[in-house]
Amino acid sequence: MLVPYTIEQDGDGVWWARALLRPGVAANGEGETPDAALADLRSALALLSEESGTPAELM
C-alpha cells in the first residue's frame, strides 16, 4: 500500500517524514538519514493501525 508522505531535514540535521492521512490524523518519523526517517514513519503507521484500527484512508 502506498501512503503519500513528505520528507525534509530540519536545521539541526534531523530528517523528518510525515504522512497526513486526513486533517487531525497523521504519522511522523524521524532519523539521522532519510531512510531512517521513513523506517520510523512506517513503524508509526503500524502503531497507529494497532491502536486505532486501520484508518479508512489505508484500506
Side-chain angles (χ1 to χ4, degrees):
M1 171 180 321
L2 298 176
V3 176
Y5 65 89
T6 58
I7 188 164
E8 60 186 47
Q9 191 175 30
D10 70 15
D12 294 327
V14 176
W15 286 92
W16 290 90
R18 177 178 169 91
L20 179 62
L21 302 174
R22 67 173 180 258
V25 180
N28 299 293
E30 66 174 288
E32 293 182 11
T33 65
D35 287 338
L38 288 174
D40 195 42
L41 175 60
R42 286 184 192 101
S43 295
L45 287 167
L47 182 61
L48 177 66
S49 182
E50 286 176 20
E51 290 180 352
S52 306
T54 303
E57 293 81 3
L58 298 180
M59 298 177 109

